[in-house]
Amino acid sequence: MPLPFLTADRAFDASAEDIALPFDDHDRWQRPYRPGPWRVAAAATLLLLASFVLLAGMIIAFAGTLSGAGACLALALVVIVCALRMLRIGAWVSRHGVRRVGFFVTKTLPWHRVAAVRTVQQPVKWLGFPRTVQGQALIVVRQGGEAVPPLLTDSNADFLGRREAFDRAADTVEAWGDEYRRH
């Protein structure tokens, strides 16, 4: 089974350092970085919880209560979908634009509507919680000066404690923006 979120590793190979846009297919939506350890750990914990719920459902089914087993199966499927959705959260780029994937909402902004993509110093949410800390954020400014919520921050689940990974991802998204805003 292909795992497309792992293809971002090729972007930072030593042989590909001189290539600004290292992906083969610029029409496919790509995440220019790997999911961070906090995001992967949270998804793995949810999948572990789902396995326990499925085991409980199997025990309930063998005990003869099929409605309880069906409820356990439904709950486990919801938890699995949540874990998979959590792994998809982040910034995605392609020739068509930049996409900010959230847990519930995905917003796409075509490159021709983007005025600038830049890294700024500002208060950012720590791991998505309401608490803010001073950090860096990659923001997209629309035509007309309207800013959208930050695409990436150095304190989110992908980059907390990984400053170099944030810098590489921000540089890559900026390179995609520079390349396709000209066209």
Side-chain angles (χ1 to χ4, degrees):
M1 178 167 112
L3 301 173
F5 56 85
L6 294 178
T7 60
D9 283 343
R10 292 182 297 139
F12 307 114
D13 288 342
S15 62
E17 284 188 24
D18 59 340
I19 301 172
L21 307 177
F23 298 106
D24 299 331
D25 187 5
H26 290 207
D27 289 324
R28 261 185 74 212
W29 289 99
Q30 306 277 342
R31 183 184 356 220
Y33 57 91
R34 293 169 48 190
W38 290 92
R39 185 172 314 283
V40 172
T45 303
L46 284 177
L47 291 174
L48 183 65
L49 175 67
S51 70
F52 287 132
V53 172
L54 285 172
L55 181 63
M58 185 180 71
I59 291 170
I60 291 171
F62 286 143
T65 311
L66 292 181
S67 62
C72 285
L73 177 64
L75 177 63
L77 289 176
V78 167
V79 171
I80 291 169
V81 167
C82 288
L84 293 177
R85 186 65 186 175
M86 187 179 298
L87 287 174
R88 299 227 3 120
I89 292 174
W92 296 71
V93 292
S94 80
R95 178 186 321 263
H96 308 291
V98 62
R99 182 174 282 176
R100 184 177 186 269
V101 177
F103 192 78
F104 294 111
V105 178
T106 298
K107 295 191 180 197
T108 303
L109 188 60
W111 288 120
H112 64 84
R113 292 190 182 158
V114 172
V117 179
R118 64 177 177 259
T119 304
V120 295
Q121 193 81 7
Q122 69 180 32
V124 296
K125 290 183 177 182
W126 182 78
L127 286 178
F129 293 120
R131 176 180 176 229
T132 60
V133 296
Q134 191 64 25
Q136 290 185 332
L138 180 70
I139 62 168
V140 173
V141 180
R142 293 183 186 195
Q143 298 287 346
E146 182 184 345
V148 297
L151 284 178
L152 308 171
T153 67
D154 63 351
S155 296
N156 70 6
D158 290 321
F159 301 110
L160 186 64
R162 299 173 56 216
R163 175 87 48 182
E164 298 83 21
F166 172 79
D167 291 338
R168 282 193 315 255
D171 290 345
T172 303
V173 173
E174 288 174 7
W176 278 79
D178 290 342
E179 176 70 24
Y180 289 112
R181 278 184 296 130
R182 285 188 237 139
H183 293 99

